[in-house]
Structure formats: structure tokens, C-alpha cells
């Protein structure tokens, strides 16, 4: 398509137009091969197109890389995706110079970048990638447009960020979006700033970098609170509840849930509260605060029972009983199990009742209250027979009480 490539990578306007038309035809040929199931031939044609797109400038090249990268990702052409990501990084360095040693280019696609990056560069201390395509007998080791001046404007950065997102190159996308964020802050463009922060936060979440995401969403929350935007505030609070829970930042998670609970209480959305209180209790237990956990669980049980949320009422009571049992407060644990029986009876939860009778029987055994243990296990057996589950277990428990071994 270019029998006489220009020495400095520049094309006249008519030449660019002719090349653009030819590349569109090449893209259509590649798409037809892909649709026919000839994947290798399709990507060979697309790779040829991408190499020649460099003559049309970085924006057109990035758009083409994004298009082909999306297809490669969809069909799991991982090597193709990696090579395209490497080329995007080369463009980023050539046009913007924002790569750093902290974000090096992967060694799988390395090649000499060209004359405008010297081996002793303070920015990069290693050789950099160019587009290394998988075509037998073809290998490029230089960028075509090595003498073009830097053109790192906001539009180019946005295109790079989107391209990295398409390729799921999230770390690279974050790097670019942080540059975009800095630009928005320099221009005092609050809307663009917060939109970019949301994008960065989401990318951190996709990378499971919860602490980094938390920092972003904390700032967004602070801003919405300052502006009195209640709905946005609650949306960020919910996001932070999830983030802190995943990051096991228990105290912060408790604080955010308390804000969420208060919001639901003010809006009379009481049915959303018990589950939050139960989760808060779990965090209290994890940081060694059983008394605070009991307060949350009692509140959750009362509210859930009053609203006939029997499953949540049961969960709360189970956790209360477990706390008492762990503290060897067996009388209190038995009282909770009695309440749990009432919840299960109301809900028609026969399996739950069977489990409760088992727990009560075990506690009575620990307290050497043989007759009460026997009654609990017999009731458990009756339910086991109805459910056709654990019959042998309850029978064994009863036999052990009726015929204790000398060791017992």
C-alpha cells in the first residue's frame, strides 16, 4: 500500500486520504475473513492495517488498535491483546512521555523504540516496545514516525484510557486516567475531575485494589456531603461499605453501615436495616467487641421479628447464641435457643427446629442434665423422622444417654 514510505513518516493530505481508503478496504477484508472463520488470516490483515495506520497519526492508530483489540479480547487472542497493549504503551511514551519505571512495559514484546529515546534516558532505563506482529518473516524494530513532535493533549489521553480499558489493561488505564485527572484539576473542571475519579475507583475495584479504591471514594463522598447531595452521598456510602468489607477495614465498615442504617431509618426503609446490623455485628466480633456485637444483633432480631423477616431473625439469634456459648454463658444460650424455636415454628422451619433441639441437647449434656438432654434429642428425632434426615445421629445420641458407657 505504501511502495515508497516517506522518510520522516509524513504524508501529504491526498496521500493520507488514499491510504485511509485503502486501509478501510483492508479492514473489510479482515472482517470478512474473520466472519468466515479464518481467524489467523483475519488478524494478519488487521496487523498489516495497524502498522500502516501509524502514518495517519496517533489518534487514528489508537482508534484502530482499540477496534482490533476489542475483537482480540472477545475471542481470547491473548498474544494479540498483549502486543496491542504494548503498542499503546509505545504511543503513550512517544507522545506523552508519562511511562515510568514503576509501570514498565512487559518484556515479552520488547524492541528498540527508535532514535527519539536514548539508552541513557532518565525516564526509561530499558528498551521499549514497538508493534511486534505474529506474521512469519515480518518483524518491526522501529516506529515509523520517529520524528513527529509530542502531541499529548487531553483527547489523546482519553483515547488511550479507553483503549486500555477495552484491553482490560487496567493498571495502564489508571496511569493514563491519573494524568487526565491532573489536567481536570489544573482546569478546575469539577465535573470532569469527579467523573475521572469514578473511573479510576472502578478500575481499582476491578483489580481488587480495595484500599486504593477506598481513598478515591472517600474523597468523592466528602465532596457530595459538602454539597448536600444526599442521594449521591448514600451511593458512595454503600460503595464504601462494600470496599471496607472486602478490605477487612472493620472499623471503617462499621462507621459507614451506621450512616446507612440512619439513612434507612430516616426514610422509613426499616426492612433494609436488620441485615446491615447483622453484618455490623460480625465486624464487631472480628475486632474483639462481643458486647457491641450483641447490641447490634439484639436490635436486628427485634426489628426482623416485628417485620416478619424470620430468616434474618433466625440469623441474629443464632449468632447471639454462639457468642453466649463461646463465653460459656450456657443459661443465656439456652434462652436464646428457646426463642429460636419460636421463630422456626412461626416460619415453619422444621429443619431449623431439628438443629436447635440438637444444640440444646448438647448444652444439657455439658451441664450433666441427662433428662433434659434426652427430651431435646427425642424431639429432634421426631423431626428427623419427618424430614428423613439425621435419624441415625439422633438415635445414637439417645442411646448414649439411655445406656451410658462406663467411661461416661
Amino acid at each position: 500500500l505504501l511502495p515508497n514510505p516517506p522518510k520522516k513518516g509524513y504524508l501529504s493530505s491526498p496521500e493520507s486520504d488514499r491510504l485511509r481508503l485503502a486501509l478501510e478496504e483492508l479492514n473489510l477484508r479482515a472482517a470478512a475473513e474473520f466472519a468466515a472463520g479464518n481467524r489467523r488470516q483475519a488478524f494478519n490483515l488487521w496487523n498489516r492495517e495497524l502498522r500502516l495506520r501509524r502514518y495517519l497519526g496517533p489518534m487514528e492508530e489508537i482508534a484502530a488498535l482499540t477496534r482490533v483489540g476489542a475483537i482480540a479480547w472477545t475471542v481470547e487472542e491473548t498474544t494479540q491483546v498483549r502486543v496491542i497493549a504494548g503498542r499503546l504503551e509505545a504511543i503513550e511514551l512517544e507522545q506523552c512521555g508519562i511511562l515510568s519505571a514503576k509501570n514498565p512495559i512487559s518484556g515479552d514484546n520488547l524492541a528498540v523504540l527508535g532514535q527519539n529515546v536514548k539508552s541513557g534516558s532518565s525516564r526509561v532505563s530499558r528498551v521499549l516496545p514497538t508493534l511486534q506482529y505474529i506474521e512469519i518473516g515480518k518483524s518491526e524494530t522501529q516506529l515509523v514516525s520517529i520524528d513527529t513532535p509530542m502531541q499529548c493533549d487531553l483527547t489523546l489521553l482519553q483515547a488511550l484510557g479507553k483503549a486500555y480499558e477495552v484491553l482490560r489493561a487496567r493498571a495502564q488505564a489508571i496511569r493514563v486516567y491519573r494524568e487526565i485527572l491532573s489536567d481536570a484539576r489544573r482546569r478546575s473542571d469539577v465535573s470532569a475531575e469527579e467523573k475521572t475519579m469514578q473511573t479510576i475507583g472502578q478500575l481499582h475495584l476491578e483489580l481488587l485494589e480495595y484500599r486504593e479504591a477506598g481513598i478515591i471514594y472517600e474523597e468523592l463522598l466528602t465532596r457530595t456531603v459538602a454539597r448536600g447531595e444526599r442521594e449521591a452521598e448514600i451511593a458512595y456510602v454503600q460503595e464504601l461499605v462494600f470496599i471496607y468489607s472486602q478490605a477487612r477495614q472493620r472499623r471503617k465498615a462499621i462507621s459507614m453501615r451506621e450512616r446507612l442504617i440512619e439513612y434507612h431509618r430516616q426514610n422509613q426503609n426499616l426492612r433494609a436495616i436488620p441485615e446491615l446490623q447483622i453484618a455490623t455485628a460480625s465486624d464487631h466480633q472480628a475486632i474483639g467487641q462481643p458486647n457491641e456485637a450483641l447490641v447490634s444483633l439484639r436490635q436486628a432480631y427485634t426489628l426482623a421479628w416485628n417485620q416478619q423477616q424470620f430468616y434474618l431473625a433466625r440469623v441474629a439469634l443464632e449468632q447471639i447464641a454462639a457468642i453466649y456459648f463461646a463465653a460459656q454463658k450456657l443459661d443465656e444460650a439456652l434462652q436464646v435457643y428457646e426463642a429460636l424455636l419460636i421463630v422456626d415454628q412461626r416460619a415453619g422451619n422444621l429443619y431449623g427446629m431439628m438443629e436447635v433441639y440438637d444444640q440444646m441437647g448438647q448444652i444439657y449434656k455439658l451441664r450433666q442434665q441427662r433428662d433434659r438432654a434426652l427430651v431435646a434429642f427425642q424431639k429432634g428425632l421426631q423431626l428427623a423422622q419427618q424430614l428423613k434426615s439425621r435419624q441415625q445421629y439422633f438415635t445414637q445420641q439417645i442411646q448414649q444417654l439411655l445406656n451410658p458407657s462406663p467411661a461416661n
Side-chain angles (χ1 to χ4, degrees):
L1 294 180
L2 278 175
N4 297 302
K7 292 182 179 180
K8 292 189 176 183
Y10 294 115
L11 295 174
S12 66
S13 181
E15 288 173 330
S16 294
D17 290 340
R18 286 196 297 272
L19 178 60
R20 196 172 286 112
L21 287 173
L23 293 182
E24 286 305 318
E25 290 181 9
L26 198 58
N27 175 37
L28 290 174
R29 284 174 54 197
E33 292 287 353
F34 186 82
N38 302 323
R39 186 183 297 181
R40 182 181 180 84
Q41 182 62 22
F43 279 108
N44 284 343
L45 291 169
W46 272 319
N47 289 339
R48 186 183 177 199
E49 176 208 346
L50 293 179
R51 282 196 300 276
L52 292 167
R53 285 282 178 187
R54 299 182 189 184
Y55 287 97
L56 300 177
M59 288 301 297
E60 291 196 41
E61 184 183 358
I62 292 169
L65 288 165
T66 304
R67 167 171 46 81
V68 177
I71 297 168
W73 173 264
T74 301
V75 297
E76 299 182 352
E77 286 282 349
T78 55
T79 302
Q80 183 81 31
V81 169
R82 187 171 64 249
V83 169
I84 289 175
R87 175 60 189 151
L88 288 168
E89 287 192 308
I91 295 171
E92 182 185 345
L93 178 65
E94 184 187 36
Q95 299 298 327
C96 305
I98 60 176
L99 284 176
S100 67
K102 186 177 181 182
N103 299 293
I105 295 169
S106 60
D108 293 339
N109 304 305
L110 294 180
V112 178
L113 181 60
Q115 297 174 6
N116 60 335
V117 177
K118 298 179 181 180
S119 60
S121 169
S122 60
R123 280 194 178 277
V124 182
S125 60
R126 56 191 297 184
V127 287
L128 299 167
T130 186
L131 205 57
Q132 294 278 0
Y133 286 107
I134 319 164
E135 290 189 35
I136 298 173
K138 296 184 179 180
S139 175
E140 294 188 77
T141 58
Q142 282 191 316
L143 290 175
V144 174
S145 304
I146 59 175
D147 295 329
T148 52
M150 296 181 82
Q151 304 173 35
C152 188
D153 59 11
L154 180 59
T155 304
L156 186 137
L157 283 172
Q158 290 170 335
L160 280 170
K162 289 296 182 184
Y164 284 136
E165 284 193 81
V166 166
L167 297 176
R168 276 55 168 191
R170 297 179 179 90
Q172 294 93 323
I174 289 171
R175 179 180 64 225
V176 171
Y177 280 119
R178 287 198 178 278
E179 290 295 318
I180 294 172
L181 179 60
S182 296
D183 176 82
R185 285 176 171 165
R186 283 192 296 271
R187 293 184 291 106
S188 300
D189 187 338
V190 175
S191 177
E193 185 180 354
E194 294 185 4
K195 183 178 179 181
T196 306
M197 289 171 68
Q198 290 168 353
T199 300
I200 294 171
Q202 184 59 42
L203 288 166
H204 279 304
L205 287 177
E206 291 173 7
L207 287 170
L208 307 184
E209 295 174 345
Y210 296 112
R211 291 180 183 271
E212 292 83 352
I215 293 170
I216 296 289
Y217 283 103
E218 284 168 5
E219 184 176 347
L220 287 168
L221 175 61
T222 299
R223 290 169 176 235
T224 56
V225 170
R227 294 195 295 262
E229 298 172 355
R230 188 63 167 160
E231 289 187 9
E233 173 190 346
I234 295 306
Y236 288 130
V237 167
Q238 289 175 318
E239 197 72 62
L240 283 167
V241 166
F242 170 77
I243 289 169
Y244 292 145
S245 297
Q246 295 299 312
R248 298 184 180 180
Q249 294 176 285
R250 312 284 188 181
R251 296 180 189 278
K252 288 186 174 182
I254 289 169
S255 175
M256 286 297 151
R257 275 200 215 89
E258 288 174 349
R259 290 174 70 164
L260 202 51
I261 288 168
E262 182 58 29
Y263 171 79
H264 288 310
R265 188 170 282 122
Q266 290 175 358
N267 287 274
Q268 294 299 306
N269 184 20
L270 302 182
R271 295 186 68 81
I273 294 177
E275 188 171 3
L276 292 169
Q277 291 173 323
I278 290 169
T280 295
S282 296
D283 281 336
H284 278 304
Q285 290 187 71
I287 59 177
Q289 296 178 334
N291 292 333
E292 289 82 352
L294 284 172
V295 171
S296 290
L297 289 169
R298 290 190 187 109
Q299 292 173 348
Y301 162 69
T302 301
L303 192 53
W305 173 257
N306 290 338
Q307 297 175 145
Q308 297 187 4
Q309 294 173 289
F310 298 126
Y311 170 75
L312 293 174
R314 173 174 231 287
V315 172
L317 288 175
E318 277 187 315
Q319 292 191 19
I320 292 171
I323 292 172
Y324 282 140
F325 186 83
Q328 291 297 301
K329 296 182 177 181
L330 302 183
D331 285 336
E332 289 87 343
L334 284 168
Q335 291 174 11
V336 174
Y337 281 125
E338 292 286 357
L340 194 48
L341 279 175
I342 296 172
V343 172
D344 285 335
Q345 287 170 350
R346 184 72 179 273
N349 183 7
L350 299 183
Y351 190 87
M353 293 173 64
M354 180 182 71
E355 294 295 318
V356 171
Y357 281 126
D358 182 23
Q359 295 294 328
M360 294 176 71
Q362 296 298 336
I363 291 176
Y364 285 131
K365 279 177 67 175
L366 285 174
R367 298 178 62 175
Q368 303 295 316
Q369 293 178 297
R370 174 180 168 278
D371 291 342
R372 291 188 175 184
L374 187 59
V375 170
F377 286 129
Q378 286 172 338
K379 290 182 178 180
L381 177 59
Q382 291 173 3
L383 290 167
Q385 289 169 340
Q386 290 183 53
L387 296 168
K388 293 181 172 55
S389 172
R390 302 187 70 194
Q391 297 175 61
Q392 185 177 357
Y393 167 80
F394 282 103
T395 300
Q396 289 175 346
Q397 294 295 320
I398 292 167
Q399 288 175 348
Q400 288 173 9
L401 290 171
L402 293 174
N403 303 297
S405 64
N408 294 335

